[in-house]
Amino acid sequence: MQTDDACRIYLALRKIYLKEDTNLCFLEFENPFQILIMTILSAQTTDKNVNSVKNALFSKYPDCKSLASADILEVEEIIKSTGFYHAKAKHIISASQMLSENYGCFVPKTIDELVKLPGVGRKTANIVLNHAYGINEGIAVDTHVKRLSVRLGFTKNNDPDKIETDLKSLFKESVWGEINFLLISHGRLVCKAKNPSCAVCKIKKMCRYYQNESKLKKNNT
Ligand code: SF4
């Protein structure tokens, strides 16, 4: 896809989903430590689920030092509703220990450092950097970003790292965080995994999937 076409889609989505006071983060965090822990917890579950355990978790373990020395069974109990809670409890405690031992409880500001923390991959690192520090080092590719990038024609790849590279080449760095937000928003509301609502989609004329489906229908009539 040409950058001009990608830009037109970006501007159309921006018009639909961005208002002046729109919060670009779906997780209700208050500091870099919280967004890091909440993003680790958000694997394989909804942001709503993660937001619902936030108060219980951070009122008991408000910082990296307290979570680093937490009892794993107690942490598991608090985060149980987010799923995969054995692994997640282990990850957030170990990540807190590593932050405490290696970074003086400061959440690092680079992807290379962040991905060394347990439970943190590129997607999580990108989310943390963007929302905690406003740093656009990459674009977080989750299931919505992946699906929409393929359907809209931003990429022909399936691997999240390759999709991220394709997206980075299409959009200027300053909007990488917005791209993640816009694709997730459209994916949740309109372009769902099963049965995308193409009939009511405001960007259908620019969508490769829609164009291909329309051609197929025409050829079959
Ligand atoms: S036209 Fe359909 S496939 Fe394309 S973005 Fe809209 S809902 Fe998704």
Side-chain angles (χ1 to χ4, degrees):
M1 176 179 279
Q2 302 290 317
T3 51
D4 284 358
D5 295 330
C7 188
R8 266 192 288 279
I9 293 175
Y10 157 71
L11 290 174
L13 288 174
R14 206 174 186 279
K15 211 170 164 189
I16 302 168
Y17 297 106
L18 273 194
K19 308 278 172 291
E20 227 169 70
D21 57 349
T22 304
N23 180 0
L24 295 193
C25 189
F26 299 100
L27 294 168
E28 295 160 2
F29 70 100
E30 282 153 38
N31 54 50
F33 174 67
Q34 286 190 1
I35 183 77
L36 169 66
I37 299 302
M38 292 175 81
T39 309
I40 296 174
L41 294 180
S42 71
Q44 312 288 332
T45 191
T46 62
D47 293 332
K48 200 174 161 200
N49 266 345
V50 178
N51 288 333
S52 72
V53 303
K54 177 201 161 188
N55 286 345
L57 183 65
F58 295 122
S59 57
K60 184 144 194 185
Y61 310 108
D63 50 33
C64 136
K65 280 215 181 316
S66 51
L67 192 53
S69 58
D71 179 302
I72 190 159
L73 294 178
E74 286 178 15
V75 174
E76 283 183 0
E77 193 53 39
I78 294 172
I79 65 165
K80 207 167 189 170
S81 59
T82 68
F84 301 96
Y85 59 96
H86 295 305
K88 287 182 182 176
K90 208 166 143 192
H91 284 152
I92 62 176
I93 291 173
S94 306
S96 300
Q97 287 165 346
M98 204 182 268
L99 281 184
S100 170
E101 284 158 23
N102 302 347
Y103 298 98
C105 278
F106 185 81
V107 176
K109 288 188 172 183
T110 66
I111 288 184
D112 286 348
E113 289 171 298
L114 282 165
V115 294
K116 288 186 184 130
L117 298 170
V120 178
R122 270 196 79 85
K123 182 184 79 176
T124 298
N126 273 319
I127 292 171
V128 171
L129 284 182
N130 183 251
H131 294 299
Y133 300 124
I135 295 172
N136 285 323
E137 201 179 323
I139 300 175
V141 177
D142 73 351
T143 177
H144 297 294
V145 175
K146 184 177 169 183
R147 183 177 71 256
L148 268 80
S149 296
V150 172
R151 284 180 179 168
L152 288 166
F154 293 154
T155 185
K156 287 183 175 148
N157 287 302
N158 255 319
D159 172 69
D161 288 356
K162 288 185 181 158
I163 293 174
E164 185 185 350
T165 304
D166 290 339
L167 291 174
K168 283 166 74 174
S169 71
L170 284 174
F171 301 101
K172 58 181 183 186
E173 192 181 321
S174 59
V175 304
W176 288 354
E178 279 184 20
I179 291 296
N180 169 273
F181 171 82
L182 295 172
L183 294 181
I184 292 175
S185 300
H186 198 57
R188 284 182 178 173
L189 293 169
V190 182
C191 191
K192 296 181 180 167
K194 284 182 193 163
N195 305 323
S197 306
C198 301
V200 296
C201 178
K202 290 183 179 161
I203 58 169
K204 63 176 175 250
K205 285 189 181 150
M206 296 179 266
C207 173
R208 195 154 293 177
Y209 174 93
Y210 182 77
Q211 288 160 3
N212 290 339
E213 289 291 301
S214 302
K215 259 186 225 159
L216 270 178
K217 270 183 204 157
K218 223 177 193 177
N219 291 340
N220 288 337
T221 51

